[in-house]
Amino acid sequence: MDVQFAAAKISKYASRESGDTLEMIERPHGGISLVLVDGQRSGKSAKAISNVVARKAIQLLAEGVRDGAAARAAHDYLYTYRGGKVSASLNILSADSRSKTFVISRNNDAPVIVYTCDKGLYLLDEPSQSVGVHQTTKPVITEFPIEVGTIIVVFTDGLRHAGSLSGSNNYDPAAAVAQLIAENETSPRVIADRLLAESLAMENGRPQDDISVLVASVLPDLGDDIRRLDVHLPLV
Amino acid sequence: MDVQFAAAKISKYASRESGDTLEMIERPHGGISLVLVDGQRSGKSAKAISNVVARKAIQLLAEGVRDGAAARAAHDYLYTYRGGKVSASLNILSADSRSKTFVISRNNDAPVIVYTCDKGLYLLDEPSQSVGVHQTTKPVITEFPIEVGTIIVVFTDGLRHAGSLSGSNNYDPAAAVAQLIAENETSPRVIADRLLAESLAMENGRPQDDISVLVASVLPDLGDDIRRLDVHLPLV
């Protein structure tokens, strides 16, 4: 199998700094974890919050700490550091090559969209608290086997709130993913770019919030055992 | 400008675990850093070493520590932790969006290949020590502006030693990059894949060592201000 991830990320209009932070880390027992954090508010202060939360989570994941404990620790750290006054949403998406499972950790009111060949399209939308403000916050964890055909879409608030200020209906990420699956689209790059482009269109290209989309898709083996990483960093 | 990075990484033949570790981290003042470490020997023990060195470096870079200090600290940590008995090569490739410069940090006997429109193709090959074994090891640091047309190729030992055991000549990464530039190739993905494929061919598809290639290329602005990340993780 070839587990592929693609992320697309844009800042709030006229904001130099995105308040969302996405980091990736190798799991010491095999596999990788991606951590997506949306800090409260936007701009510099949001960036500082999301950076601290993401940093704590990946630092622990890199040491082999399991996902649930890393999410709890990231909460405890922010709660202590900022006295329970600032919040951040936190998602961890891990592909564990030892257990051959995806582990999805949610501290985010926004759902995670999952498609599997067996179950079709569904949402991970159990009530879930952001980190930083309530004393005993814990993540909602979901684990299932890595199987060809599975697609997972994780996003920050900005995606589903796109369009809300212009008076039109909000953007519906789940409907968009259903459409892409109906088109037999399996490329995580295409899916991430399409979701971001559609939500941006609903904001007339001037997003009112930072928007980040992270997509995992399991494709058949490419047969070359080569790990690959690609990054695009626009620089003004 | 659009700063693009591409990495390709393969394990030694019949070795489940690569002794090379590549990690990426966002710089808190803007931009990103990629850290590439080649642990002494191969397999599990090499992985443990490269993981510790990469982890220490990215942890500090994530906190805003400058590259040279992060490389020194990674050395000090490994030297202390393993009593000066194990070594690792360490390269840090950073695109700093505040200073608009690339910062290249070498603790690696292997050179870094650089192409700029002004200077053409040249090597960063000042003598440089691996981390972990000598008491006062420091990195060789090179910094220059991020400009369209610039290409940087960082690799671990396995790439230039490909072919050495089969009695043929070693693979020559600099000659290969010169050829790609003559073909006007600017895609870091194409460059990384070509270098890896050519070196693998010299090993008859059975590499005697872990091989990792990391390429940066500065292309004109795509005009969309979207950050993108793509990862492929083959899973047996």
Side-chain angles (χ1 to χ4, degrees):
Chain A
M1 292 183 290
D2 195 53
V3 185
Q4 303 188 2
F5 298 88
K9 198 163 164 284
I10 196 163
S11 305
K12 177 180 171 174
Y13 179 67
S15 190
R16 282 183 66 90
E17 197 110 54
S18 170
D20 294 353
T21 295
L22 174 70
E23 296 284 7
M24 186 186 76
I25 194 89
E26 211 175 290
R27 294 167 77 80
H29 301 297
I32 62 170
S33 293
L34 290 115
V35 174
L36 180 59
V37 185
D38 180 359
Q40 190 181 330
R41 293 187 287 263
S42 64
K44 254 199 154 54
S45 72
K47 185 69 199 178
I49 295 163
S50 68
N51 178 272
V52 153
V53 173
R55 192 144 49 82
K56 179 54 72 177
I58 60 156
Q59 185 186 322
L60 293 170
L61 292 166
E63 290 170 1
V65 171
R66 67 198 72 174
D67 298 44
R72 280 171 170 83
H75 161 72
D76 293 341
Y77 187 73
L78 180 63
Y79 183 83
T80 305
Y81 174 58
R82 299 296 293 263
K85 293 210 175 67
V86 292
S87 73
S89 76
L90 164 65
N91 282 102
I92 306 174
L93 172 56
S94 299
D96 190 299
S97 52
R98 197 170 45 169
S99 62
K100 305 263 193 308
T101 55
F102 281 115
V103 180
I104 302 169
S105 172
R106 283 176 61 234
N107 280 106
N108 191 350
D109 188 41
V112 169
I113 303 167
V114 178
Y115 172 82
T116 66
C117 296
D118 276 1
K119 292 192 184 176
L121 193 73
Y122 61 99
L123 295 181
L124 303 179
D125 59 357
E126 259 188 81
S128 165
Q129 286 177 335
S130 292
V131 300
V133 281
H134 303 287
Q135 208 173 328
T136 55
T137 294
K138 55 184 184 179
V140 178
I141 306 249
T142 310
E143 184 169 8
F144 51 83
I146 299 175
E147 286 171 339
V148 171
T150 297
I151 292 170
I152 301 168
V153 181
V154 178
F155 52 87
T156 58
D157 242 11
L159 187 75
R160 61 175 182 161
H161 291 158
S164 58
L165 282 184
S166 65
S168 56
N169 290 327
N170 285 11
Y171 183 59
D172 184 346
V177 173
Q179 175 63 32
L180 282 154
I181 285 166
E183 296 169 15
N184 293 316
E185 186 55 66
T186 57
S187 155
R189 175 80 274 145
V190 171
I191 297 171
D193 280 346
R194 178 93 75 91
L195 295 180
L196 188 59
E198 287 178 356
S199 65
L200 275 176
M202 291 190 70
E203 299 270 61
N204 301 314
R206 299 180 170 196
Q208 301 296 316
D209 192 3
D210 310 309
I211 305 178
S212 304
V213 189
L214 167 63
V215 180
S217 178
V218 187
L219 293 154
D221 203 355
L222 297 178
D224 65 3
D225 280 339
I226 298 172
R227 281 193 185 205
R228 290 183 171 85
L229 169 71
D230 293 271
V231 185
H232 286 226
L233 177 73
L235 213 66
V236 187
Chain B
M1 293 183 291
D2 195 53
V3 186
Q4 303 188 1
F5 298 89
K9 200 163 163 283
I10 195 163
S11 305
K12 177 179 171 176
Y13 179 67
S15 190
R16 282 183 66 89
E17 197 110 54
S18 170
D20 294 352
T21 295
L22 174 71
E23 296 285 7
M24 186 185 76
I25 196 89
E26 211 176 290
R27 294 167 77 80
H29 302 297
I32 62 169
S33 294
L34 290 115
V35 174
L36 180 59
V37 185
D38 180 359
Q40 189 181 331
R41 292 186 289 262
S42 64
K44 254 199 151 57
S45 71
K47 186 69 199 178
I49 297 163
S50 67
N51 178 273
V52 153
V53 172
R55 192 144 49 80
K56 179 54 71 178
I58 61 157
Q59 185 185 322
L60 293 170
L61 291 166
E63 289 170 1
V65 171
R66 67 197 73 173
D67 299 43
R72 281 171 169 81
H75 161 74
D76 293 341
Y77 186 73
L78 180 63
Y79 183 82
T80 305
Y81 173 59
R82 299 296 294 263
K85 293 209 175 67
V86 291
S87 73
S89 76
L90 164 65
N91 282 101
I92 305 174
L93 171 57
S94 299
D96 190 300
S97 51
R98 196 169 46 169
S99 62
K100 304 263 194 307
T101 55
F102 282 114
V103 181
I104 302 169
S105 172
R106 284 176 60 234
N107 280 107
N108 190 350
D109 188 42
V112 168
I113 303 167
V114 178
Y115 173 82
T116 67
C117 296
D118 276 0
K119 292 193 184 176
L121 192 75
Y122 60 98
L123 295 181
L124 304 179
D125 59 359
E126 259 188 80
S128 165
Q129 286 176 335
S130 292
V131 300
V133 282
H134 304 287
Q135 208 172 328
T136 57
T137 295
K138 56 184 184 179
V140 178
I141 306 249
T142 310
E143 184 169 7
F144 51 83
I146 299 175
E147 287 171 339
V148 172
T150 298
I151 293 170
I152 300 168
V153 182
V154 178
F155 52 86
T156 58
D157 242 11
L159 188 74
R160 61 174 182 161
H161 291 159
S164 59
L165 282 185
S166 66
S168 57
N169 290 327
N170 284 10
Y171 184 60
D172 184 345
V177 173
Q179 175 62 32
L180 283 153
I181 285 166
E183 296 168 16
N184 294 316
E185 186 55 65
T186 57
S187 155
R189 176 79 274 144
V190 171
I191 297 171
D193 280 347
R194 177 94 74 92
L195 294 180
L196 189 59
E198 288 178 355
S199 64
L200 275 177
M202 290 190 71
E203 299 269 60
N204 300 314
R206 299 181 168 193
Q208 300 296 315
D209 192 3
D210 309 309
I211 305 178
S212 304
V213 189
L214 167 63
V215 181
S217 178
V218 188
L219 293 154
D221 203 354
L222 298 177
D224 64 3
D225 279 339
I226 298 172
R227 282 192 184 204
R228 290 183 171 87
L229 169 72
D230 294 271
V231 185
H232 287 225
L233 177 73
L235 212 66
V236 187

